[in-house]
């Protein structure tokens, strides 16, 4: 797949959506440094433990990379960058390669229209500002680390007065799938999408997307977005069936500690 196929996002659009996503679920620790956002989240997700290079800034890139390396060393973590076509300054990927940073697979960022989202026929939906026990139980079957940090993150969203919904989809009174929607600048990010292993391929995943789209309409949001692992072909196909299209992709560069 080409890095810049026809119809994919402009550089300005990539930067805007990356900023929206970073603001939606900020890392536990972050520092702004000359146009870059340095993020540390106690090892939970590579995205939340990487640098978002939003703007070129005024300093020499090598000097900034040295500050990045010091930041992650102070947290006992390897330095990592999340890179898109819009990462600044231009040539950052090549600079990191020359410094020995290894490329790691990233994700495709997919977007869909709120108005075109599917309907959740045959399912009930419960919305919670904080994650319910059912929501946590479903997420834990897919991502135990994310489940352990979900309550703290939800409280942080409340503190920041960010509109968010932890949706649980039920069928015949049984919770079968869950997901989190976070509002920002007319967009709703879909995170922690999880279907109980016993309930897969029965429409529950589609019902979660539909439920969060219904919630997004209440806030007059126009766009849904999510990140899908670049290696997850089944996930790409699933969201394509729901009308999502790939807007852009990102990958990582990380520096392994010396032996």
């Amino acid at each position: 797949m080409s890095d810049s196929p026809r119809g994919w996002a402009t550089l300005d659009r990539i930067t805007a959506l990356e900023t929206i996503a970073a603001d939606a679920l900020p890392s536990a620790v972050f520092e702004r440094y000359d146009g870059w956002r340095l993020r540390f989240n106690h090892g939970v997700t590579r995205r939340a433990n990487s640098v978002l290079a939003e703007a070129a800034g005024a300093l020499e890139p090598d000097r900034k990379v040295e500050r990045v390396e010091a930041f992650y060393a102070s947290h006992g973590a390897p330095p990592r960058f999340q890179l898109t076509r819009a990462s600044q300054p231009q040539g950052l990927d090549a600079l990191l390669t020359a410094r020995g940073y290894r490329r790691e697979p990233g994700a495709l960022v997919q977007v869909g229209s709120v108005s075109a989202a599917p309907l959740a026929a045959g399912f009930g939906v419960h919305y919670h500002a904080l994650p319910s026990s059912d929501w946590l139980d479903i997420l834990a079957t897919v991502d135990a680390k994310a489940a352990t940090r979900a309550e703290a993150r939800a409280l942080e969203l409340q503190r920041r007065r960010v509109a968010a919904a932890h949706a649980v989809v039920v069928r015949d009174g049984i919770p079968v799938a869950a997901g989190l929607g976070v509002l920002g600048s007319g967009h709703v990010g879909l995170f922690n999408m999880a279907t109980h292993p016993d309930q897969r391929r029965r429409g529950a995943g589609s019902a979660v997307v539909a439920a969060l789209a219904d919630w997004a309409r209440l806030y007059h949001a126009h766009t849904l977005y999510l990140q899908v692992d670049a290696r997850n072909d089944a996930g790409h196909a699933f969201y394509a069936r729901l009308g999502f299209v790939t807007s852009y992709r990102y990958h990582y560069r990380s520096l392994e500690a010396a032996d």
Side-chain angles (χ1 to χ4, degrees), residues 180-252:
L180 167 64
V182 181
L183 179 70
S185 300
H187 297 66
V188 167
L190 306 185
F191 304 97
N192 297 138
M193 304 293 286
T195 300
H196 193 284
D198 295 339
Q199 299 291 332
R200 290 173 182 165
R201 297 180 177 84
R202 299 176 62 187
S206 301
V208 175
V209 175
L212 291 172
D214 285 343
W215 177 83
R217 293 184 187 101
L218 297 177
Y219 291 89
H220 307 289
H222 49 74
T223 302
L224 304 174
Y225 70 91
L226 50 86
Q227 299 103 14
V228 185
D229 191 295
R231 300 159 292 186
N232 185 357
D233 293 338
H236 305 158
F238 169 73
Y239 288 110
R241 289 194 296 272
L242 300 183
F244 285 81
V245 297
T246 298
S247 181
Y248 59 94
R249 64 168 61 209
Y250 62 81
H251 64 276
Y252 296 100

Side-chain angles (χ1 to χ4, degrees), residues 3 9-16 18 36 52-56 82-92 248-250:
D3 282 340
T10 64
L11 299 186
D12 286 346
R13 173 62 174 156
I14 293 171
T15 299
E18 281 299 302
W36 291 0
L52 180 62
E54 295 173 287
Q82 178 208 341
L83 299 170
T84 71
R85 292 187 293 115
S87 296
Q88 295 295 320
Q90 293 183 3
L92 177 58
Y248 59 94
R249 64 168 61 209
Y250 62 81

